[in-house]
Amino acid sequence: MKPLLTFKTVLVCISFISLFTFKGCHQPAKSPEPLMQRKGSENPMAEMEKALQFEFNMTKDPATGRIPENIRKLELDQANALASQASIAGRVAANAYSFQGPENLGGRVRSVAYDVRFDGVLNRTILAGGISGGVFKSIDDGATWARKSPLTDHFSCTSIAQDPRLLNQDTWYYATGESLGNSTSATGATFFGFGLYKSTNNGETWSRLTTSNTGALETFDRADDFISKVVVNPVNGDVYYACLSGIKRSTTGGTTWTSVIAPPGSFTTTFVSDIVVTSTGRLYAAFSGACSTAYDGVWTSTSGDAGSWTRIAGTGSATTPAGWDAKGAYGRVVLATTPTREDVVYALYDNLVTSSCAGVAATEAKLFKWNLATTTWTNLSANLPDEPGCLDGNDPFAIQGGYDLVISVSPTDSMAIYIGGTNAYRNTDGFKTSASNKRIGGYAGSGSYAGYAGSHADIHCFAFRPGASATMICGNDGGLQRTTDAMAAAVGWTNISTGFRTYQYYYVAIDPRLGNTKVLGGAQDNGSTRNIGGAGTSFEGVYGGDGVSVGLSDLVGGSTYEYVGSQEGDIERRNSTLGSGFATDIKPTGATEKGIFVTLFHVDEDNSEKLYYASVNQLFRTSSASTVAPGTWTELTGFPGAVGAGVNLSVLATTRGTYAATANLFAGTEDGKVYRLTNPSSVAAATAPTNITGAGFPATGYVSSISVNPRNDDTVLVTFSNYGVSSVFWTGNAKSATPTWVNVEGALTLPSYRSSAIVINGATVEYYVGTSVGLYRATISGAAPAST
């Protein structure tokens, strides 16, 4: 039997976000706006690991347990070849698409920089690095942004730097690879980088510096896989980058690289390093206390040459201050120079404390000041923020294991110091005391997780406008915000993320009401958001945490409802006609405490009162979603025995319309099985679903989507997201006892298949699949395809 259709006909679009640009989930749960109390976790680092493990399980090759080496390049090459063939054959007839949003919200930013020539009139250029999306450029002082990273390349940026020398200011560099918040135990799940990129036309176009990382993108085999910082020496233009426990330098503009300081031996993703350079060319480097050899701490050099570095803090250093922790007892270290005091440098580090309001509440970092003139350190740790009260992940000063940790000094006032963790703070006496500490961003206060007006939690970077130090940009997990008075008693922030398109949605729902353009989405690490306004491309937050499944209701009793949730089982209902406000917890009583990381539930597209909720191998139903309470769900007790102990349900789909006398629910699992339950809304609760797994399915694999023909529920499409397996299967007799499944992936064999849809367009049935290399479409004329 030949394949019925192949997904090589039309390449509709290329994904802007690489499969490998996956970012961790962080506690407490967050929301772009202070709309409701949000749910958090007692163990943020564990949450990060679970988020990564979820993504890894979806994509690993089941045969090897790893992401295949060079798969990113190979899948892009295959996609480009197929697109070229389709174009030559004259078969490209792409659909018309319009941007839906969010236009005004941004995702995580680890680096932002003003052009040194910025004057607000002739030059209004700013560059920013999105962890999801790469490098964006604004030429209108942050009013709008345009992505500039190369097409079909590594869309991420962890650090960005300009060559500040007068004749070289059109030259920029950006780094890739984020180890912070990732799991060293989850092989292949870390967010690998691919070295450095360079622009010589002021950030308009970029090319990869291939010698900065000569390994495979998918394999953690070198320290350069994770680069946390890039700087340019303003005296001679030498370029330095800080990778895992080492500093490398190029004196040739990035053509060749040499190691100038690197601890010998093995390295892990915990060996984060940092580097800064003063205006006179003195360099300071910092290494995590997790470093496996006696290289932890802070080093300095006037030349940057190998062998020229002197340790000024850490194991064995004569100048190590009292209170500086021993090797292995501290983590990530970040540094800040003082523009008006070349002899002063600050070091802020993770003290490996996880504050607990129910146990020991304490700041999660230590702060020290180095004075080069006196070669002495001052311990300022006692003056870090610790406000009245206590709230885990918020106060005292919280940094989530070093995931969010930054320090910056005002370019005009050496006493004005800004630090960031979960929240942003300002101190105006050089942290000599705690009296001048001021919370200026993140959460609004130490008493709740409500957001600080205009700001967002998880602070990663600050940038001051040249010549106007009161104007400062903050980059965090919610994009970019700017204040025009960083020294104000109450700092006000303005969102400047328009065009900074860096959200990653797990699920999106479209309003079922005909002619209504409302959209609701669950975004990774940025909660649930919905569109607002006439154009519908501006979005607002409605619920925090990691976004998960979402659903929109039809009009029910004069109201419409939004179904949202957060990681590991949370599901909430909101009356959307009431605007902002608290959501109602409707998680079924009896559901497993923590199910699949990206909470799975499904609203029937044709009857939004029918709602299904999954928790590991459990499935619950209700036919009154608008009023259901935790104790009024019905558990379909036949599912756990059929699916198996500890196996997660991964996807749910229901039949459409009233064409069938009896509806069906289809469910997929993380171990490659597909089940059918007939008449799911009213069948006896103990009824076991029928296993309709195809004989040609992968022996094991992650079922990522199930799509049902809207006018014929015998026609079903199933996708698998793992690499190394056959990924797309079609059946035309899904309701039979043993459906016949056909592998229809055709020539597009390499990508990870993430989603699918079957759309009726007149007499034509259109099949869509979303993959790690773009969106593809195949069409078949007629009511349903016939076997050939």
Side-chain angles (χ1 to χ4, degrees):
M1 180 177 289
K2 297 179 180 178
L4 297 170
L5 62 157
T6 56
F7 293 95
K8 61 180 181 180
T9 308
V10 179
L11 175 62
V12 180
C13 63
I14 291 293
S15 170
F16 284 170
I17 300 175
S18 164
L19 165 64
F20 306 102
T21 60
F22 181 79
K23 53 193 169 85
C25 146
H26 315 290
Q27 175 277 343
K30 296 173 287 298
S31 173
E33 300 294 339
L35 298 177
M36 73 292 293
Q37 182 72 29
R38 293 164 287 168
K39 297 186 177 182
S41 163
E42 295 178 356
N43 191 336
M45 296 306 291
E47 295 294 279
M48 298 174 195
E49 284 202 20
K50 290 172 185 175
L52 289 160
Q53 192 66 51
F54 170 81
E55 179 80 1
F56 179 59
N57 288 340
M58 288 183 65
T59 54
K60 67 183 179 183
D61 185 333
T64 64
R66 299 181 65 86
I67 305 294
E69 284 192 11
N70 296 314
I71 190 61
R72 185 60 178 159
K73 180 181 184 302
L74 293 172
E75 66 181 0
L76 285 170
D77 288 346
Q78 184 182 72
N80 290 332
L82 290 174
S84 297
Q85 293 169 14
S87 178
I88 292 171
R91 294 179 303 203
V92 174
N95 293 358
Y97 288 89
S98 59
F99 177 70
Q100 187 61 44
E103 178 70 5
N104 59 318
L105 301 179
R108 182 155 84 258
V109 182
R110 281 208 178 270
S111 187
V112 60
Y114 281 92
D115 189 321
V116 296
R117 297 161 292 190
F118 187 102
D119 58 15
V121 180
L122 298 178
N123 187 310
R124 307 175 74 200
T125 300
I126 311 170
L127 270 68
I131 291 299
S132 300
V135 169
F136 287 73
K137 181 179 179 180
S138 173
I139 58 173
D140 53 12
D141 192 14
T144 59
W145 296 84
R147 189 181 58 82
K148 297 296 182 179
S149 292
L151 288 172
T152 67
D153 212 323
H154 195 284
F155 296 137
S156 179
C157 173
T158 53
S159 177
I160 190 166
Q162 182 180 21
D163 189 333
R165 295 175 299 162
L166 183 61
L167 300 180
N168 301 86
Q169 292 167 353
D170 276 351
T171 298
W172 294 75
Y173 301 87
Y174 79 82
T176 63
E178 184 188 43
S179 64
L180 304 166
N182 287 295
S183 166
T184 57
S185 63
T187 304
T190 45
F191 175 6
F192 298 130
F194 213 20
L196 259 64
Y197 290 74
K198 180 179 181 179
S199 172
T200 56
N201 57 3
N202 206 30
E204 283 297 309
T205 60
W206 299 81
S207 57
R208 191 170 81 88
L209 299 173
T210 56
T211 56
S212 62
N213 188 321
T214 57
L217 173 62
E218 300 80 9
T219 303
F220 179 30
D221 58 358
R222 59 195 65 237
D224 315 282
D225 287 336
F226 301 96
I227 300 176
S228 54
K229 191 72 158 299
V230 57
V231 298
V232 182
N233 191 321
V235 175
N236 55 24
D238 289 351
V239 186
Y240 295 80
Y241 68 76
C243 53
L244 296 181
S245 72
I247 305 295
K248 292 192 176 181
R249 178 180 70 178
S250 176
T251 59
T252 59
T255 303
T256 58
W257 298 88
T258 58
S259 178
V260 293
I261 178 171
S266 60
F267 51 84
T268 76
T269 54
T270 61
F271 292 3
V272 184
S273 56
D274 193 23
I275 186 167
V276 294
V277 58
T278 69
S279 63
T280 60
R282 175 176 282 273
L283 296 131
Y284 292 87
F287 300 99
S288 165
C291 189
S292 59
T293 58
Y295 269 73
D296 65 294
V298 182
W299 299 68
T300 188
S301 170
T302 55
S303 67
D305 296 337
S308 70
W309 294 81
T310 300
R311 173 182 279 170
I312 57 175
T315 305
S317 172
T319 54
T320 299
W324 189 283
D325 291 309
K327 184 179 77 68
Y330 65 99
R332 178 189 179 194
V333 185
V334 293
L335 303 172
T337 59
T338 306
T340 58
R341 289 281 307 275
E342 289 284 329
D343 57 340
V344 173
V345 172
Y346 290 89
L348 178 69
Y349 72 66
D350 174 13
N351 63 7
L352 302 187
V353 169
T354 299
S355 182
S356 172
C357 300
V360 177
T363 56
E364 297 181 353
K366 286 190 174 182
L367 175 64
F368 296 83
K369 181 177 75 172
W370 168 254
N371 188 312
L372 180 64
T374 60
T375 64
T376 57
W377 288 94
T378 302
N379 187 348
L380 305 171
S381 305
N383 300 321
L384 287 171
D386 185 358
E387 299 166 270
C390 182
L391 191 62
D392 290 343
N394 182 339
D395 177 73
F397 182 57
I399 63 170
Q400 298 187 103
Y403 163 78
D404 33 36
L405 187 66
V406 62
I407 182 168
S408 187
V409 183
S410 166
T412 57
D413 183 351
S414 63
M415 292 289 102
I417 303 174
Y418 299 83
I419 62 172
T422 314
N423 304 303
Y425 300 89
R426 180 191 66 219
N427 181 287
T428 53
D429 66 3
F431 279 101
K432 292 180 179 178
T433 70
S434 61
S436 65
N437 285 341
K438 179 71 176 179
R439 179 187 293 245
I440 62 170
Y443 297 120
S446 60
S448 78
Y449 298 125
Y452 188 104
S455 183
H456 195 287
D458 294 350
I459 312 300
H460 301 296
C461 55
F462 300 110
F464 298 93
R465 174 179 166 173
S469 60
T471 297
M472 181 177 73
I473 295 175
C474 177
N476 46 52
D477 275 10
L480 297 157
Q481 303 91 42
R482 177 174 56 209
T483 178
T484 56
D485 191 354
M487 293 295 287
V491 173
W493 297 98
T494 300
N495 176 41
I496 58 167
S497 297
T498 299
F500 195 76
R501 302 173 180 177
T502 51
Y503 260 43
Q504 293 176 304
Y505 283 100
Y506 285 127
Y507 289 93
V508 174
I510 301 172
D511 197 306
R513 294 172 293 169
L514 187 64
N516 196 297
T517 59
K518 182 177 179 180
V519 177
L520 176 68
Q524 201 287 319
D525 204 40
N526 274 292
S528 300
T529 53
R530 65 183 181 190
N531 59 341
I532 54 176
T537 58
S538 291
F539 277 56
E540 65 180 358
V542 296
Y543 195 70
D546 268 71
V548 293
S549 301
V550 289
L552 289 171
S553 82
D554 206 334
L555 197 63
V556 181
S559 297
T560 58
Y561 294 90
E562 297 166 345
Y563 299 93
V564 295
S566 60
Q567 63 271 25
E568 298 190 303
D570 176 36
I571 178 173
E572 309 275 333
R573 179 182 61 236
R574 301 182 70 255
N575 187 330
S576 62
T577 59
L578 298 180
S580 63
F582 286 85
T584 301
D585 183 355
I586 60 171
K587 180 178 179 179
T589 301
T592 302
E593 178 61 24
K594 291 184 182 295
I596 192 171
F597 183 81
V598 179
T599 304
L600 176 64
F601 55 86
H602 173 74
V603 177
D604 190 299
E605 294 96 327
D606 294 314
N607 184 346
S608 58
E609 283 292 85
K610 294 180 180 181
L611 174 62
Y612 301 89
Y613 171 92
S615 182
V616 189
N617 58 6
Q618 295 175 287
L619 189 66
F620 296 80
R621 75 180 179 204
T622 179
S623 294
S624 53
S626 62
T627 58
V628 71
T632 61
W633 293 79
T634 297
E635 181 178 0
L636 299 176
T637 55
F639 264 81
V643 174
V647 177
N648 282 317
L649 292 167
S650 59
V651 63
L652 301 171
T654 48
T655 56
R656 299 292 309 275
T658 58
Y659 57 85
T662 305
N664 285 285
L665 177 143
F666 297 93
T669 68
E670 64 180 359
D671 68 345
K673 304 296 192 300
V674 174
Y675 297 87
R676 182 190 67 232
L677 184 66
T678 302
N679 198 16
S681 64
S682 57
V683 71
T687 303
T690 301
N691 187 337
I692 59 170
T693 303
F697 281 18
T700 183
Y702 194 100
V703 180
S704 55
S705 76
I706 299 175
S707 296
V708 184
N709 188 316
R711 67 183 179 198
N712 181 356
D713 63 347
D714 251 340
T715 303
V716 173
L717 195 68
V718 171
T719 65
F720 290 80
S721 54
N722 301 90
Y723 285 109
V725 303
S726 297
S727 299
V728 193
F729 294 86
W730 178 95
T731 183
N733 61 343
K735 292 185 290 187
S736 70
T738 56
T740 301
W741 294 92
V742 181
N743 180 345
V744 295
E745 69 179 6
L748 193 65
T749 58
L750 295 179
S752 168
Y753 283 77
R754 300 301 189 90
S755 58
S756 63
I758 304 177
V759 177
I760 302 301
N761 187 359
T764 302
V765 181
E766 297 178 346
Y767 295 83
Y768 293 86
V769 288
T771 76
S772 54
V773 293
L775 177 67
Y776 289 77
R777 182 188 71 197
T779 59
I780 293 181
S781 297
S787 294
T788 58

